[in-house]
């Protein structure tokens, strides 16, 4: 959830492993003021993303999809992305988030305490 008054996140990957797909489904229509997700296409193939620190973001081509409620954004887990700040007065940006893979599903980067998909 991205609440009113929040700041933009730093660029990040959800993890370094190949074969994972992030799935974002907004539960509200996205606008620029709600702080949508911004992505840097092609960065999933970059080995040294730390070298991007200090580069001004205007120097890199980014995309910021303004999805409608229920539309789906799929992207490689390794793609650099960030949630932008929510500048609205009173509306939160909510979304459903999932990660899919055809590998053994262990996402220790986002869920370090979850060794399996079983519930405690």
């Amino acid at each position: 959830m991205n609440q009113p008054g929040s700041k933009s996140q730093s660029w990040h990957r959800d993890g370094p492993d190949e074969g994972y797909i992030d799935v974002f489904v907004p539960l509200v229509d996205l606008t620029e003021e709600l702080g949508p997700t911004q992505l840097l296409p092609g960065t999933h193939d970059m080995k040294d993303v730390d070298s991007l620190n200090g580069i001004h973001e205007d120097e890199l081509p980014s995309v910021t999809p303004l999805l409608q409620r229920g539309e789906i954004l799929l992207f490689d887990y390794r793609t650099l992305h960030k949630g932008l700040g929510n500048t609205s007065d009173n509306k939160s940006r909510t979304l459903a988030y999932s990660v899919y893979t055809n590998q053994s599903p262990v996402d220790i980067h986002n869920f370090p305490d979850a060794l399996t998909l079983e519930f405690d």
Side-chain angles (χ1 to χ4, degrees), residues 5 19 31 35 38 54 56 59:
T31 63
Q38 188 173 45
H56 194 272
E59 298 176 36

Side-chain angles (χ1 to χ4, degrees), residues 35-96:
T37 300
Q38 188 173 45
L39 302 105
L40 292 175
T43 56
H44 66 285
D45 281 334
M46 297 178 95
K47 300 296 180 212
D48 183 20
V49 295
D50 290 335
S51 66
L52 291 176
N53 289 335
I55 293 177
H56 194 272
E57 63 186 61
D58 292 341
E59 298 176 36
L60 301 170
S62 65
V63 295
T64 309
L66 295 178
L67 304 173
Q68 299 299 299
R69 178 180 57 168
E71 291 183 330
I72 299 173
L73 174 62
L74 303 169
F75 61 97
D76 190 296
Y77 184 72
R78 300 169 296 164
T79 301
L80 286 170
H81 63 282
K82 65 179 176 178
L84 297 177
N86 183 336
T87 61
S88 73
D89 290 329
N90 60 3
K91 190 169 183 182
S92 295
R93 179 195 61 144
T94 54
L95 60 83

Side-chain angles (χ1 to χ4, degrees), residues 99-120:
V99 177
Y100 288 92
T101 185
N102 64 356
Q103 303 173 21
S104 181
V106 178
D107 182 0
I108 61 170
H109 302 286
N110 291 301
F111 307 99
D113 294 333
L115 296 180
T116 69
L117 292 180
E118 296 176 21
F119 294 102
D120 294 333

